[in-house]
Amino acid sequence: MFWAFALLLMGGSMRAQETIALPQPEVGRLSMTLGEALQKRRSLREYQTDKEVDLQTLSTLLWAACGISDPATGKITAPSAINMQDIKVYVCGAKGAYLFEPKTNTLRQVCTKDLRADIAGRQAFAKDAPISLLLVSTKDSDRSPNDKFGGMDAGYVSQNIYLACTALGLKTVARATMMFEALQEELKLPETSYLELNHPVGY
């Protein structure tokens, strides 16, 4: 399964899969103490272009971002204003964009285009990362698409990504720069969605 996903992200010839089942996250790999993670966390903007993020590591990272921490209640690892759980995480690589589905621990392909240039915008370094995590706030139709709750929730998920990357030996930086209209169109997002942040991720 790792090789199937790696080929998809790296531009291999394997036929795209609509849904990819992620392995169970290895929570033990996040055993760095909170103090150590806070001390070592940095915003890093240079990535190895020849080293991919394997599926097991990605699964652990996505779980830390906003995965299910309590299956009995459906609670996630990140706080959420009035428990909206509105932040959706898209994994974007060379062969398209995949929506992380926390309840099933799967990736569902939503676009076959490489969106990393659109995510990078005017900051070209972000294209070098093998994947970018795009944080999108999805609201009900009666809510403003750019209200304070979406920004708050994106911040919680972003911090989780930072700390998990630190523990997993990955590099990342939180960014608000991106080509909003192009991404909105390519991902077919409703008008009630707002692209909050993105995280290029690599070694």
Side-chain angles (χ1 to χ4, degrees):
M1 183 61 70
F2 158 62
W3 293 112
F5 184 73
L7 281 168
L8 288 173
L9 288 183
M10 294 169 64
S13 60
M14 179 171 287
R15 184 178 178 182
Q17 301 177 24
E18 183 178 1
T19 301
I20 298 172
L22 292 168
Q24 287 299 306
E26 293 180 338
V27 181
R29 292 182 63 189
L30 302 170
S31 59
M32 179 181 289
T33 68
L34 177 60
E36 290 173 326
L38 290 171
Q39 186 176 47
K40 294 180 179 180
R41 185 218 57 79
R42 295 292 182 270
S43 293
L44 300 170
R45 296 170 173 81
E46 295 183 359
Y47 312 97
Q48 294 182 33
T49 58
D50 60 346
K51 186 173 182 180
E52 298 296 315
V53 178
D54 66 83
L55 195 60
Q56 182 66 71
T57 300
L58 179 61
S59 175
T60 304
L61 175 58
L62 292 173
W63 176 84
C66 60
I68 302 296
S69 58
D70 184 358
T73 63
K75 297 289 187 182
I76 60 176
T77 56
S80 179
I82 60 175
N83 198 33
M84 289 191 304
Q85 299 188 14
D86 59 309
I87 300 301
K88 310 302 179 187
V89 179
Y90 291 81
V91 182
C92 303
K95 291 297 286 185
Y98 297 77
L99 175 62
F100 173 51
E101 304 275 12
K103 291 182 180 179
T104 57
N105 196 38
T106 57
L107 293 172
R108 177 169 57 85
Q109 190 172 38
V110 296
C111 175
T112 58
K113 180 180 177 181
D114 186 350
L115 301 177
R116 289 176 297 172
D118 290 331
I119 293 173
R122 63 179 182 271
Q123 297 180 332
F125 75 86
K127 292 187 296 184
D128 294 337
I131 58 172
S132 284
L133 303 184
L134 183 60
L135 310 187
V136 178
S137 174
T138 302
K139 302 290 195 302
D140 295 331
S141 59
D142 60 343
R143 301 190 63 84
S144 167
N146 187 18
D147 65 18
K148 63 181 179 181
F149 290 141
M152 288 166 52
D153 287 357
Y156 301 139
V157 174
S158 175
Q159 183 74 314
N160 281 6
I161 292 171
Y162 258 123
L163 296 177
C165 281
T166 303
L168 292 168
L170 296 167
K171 295 180 177 182
T172 194
V173 59
R175 305 173 60 253
T177 297
M178 62 188 105
M179 306 297 287
F180 289 90
E181 292 184 3
L183 291 167
Q184 193 96 13
E185 180 178 351
E186 292 291 347
L187 295 172
K188 297 179 174 59
L189 297 174
E191 293 182 358
T192 52
S193 294
Y194 188 80
L195 290 85
E196 299 280 358
L197 294 170
N198 64 79
H199 276 264
V201 175
Y203 288 95

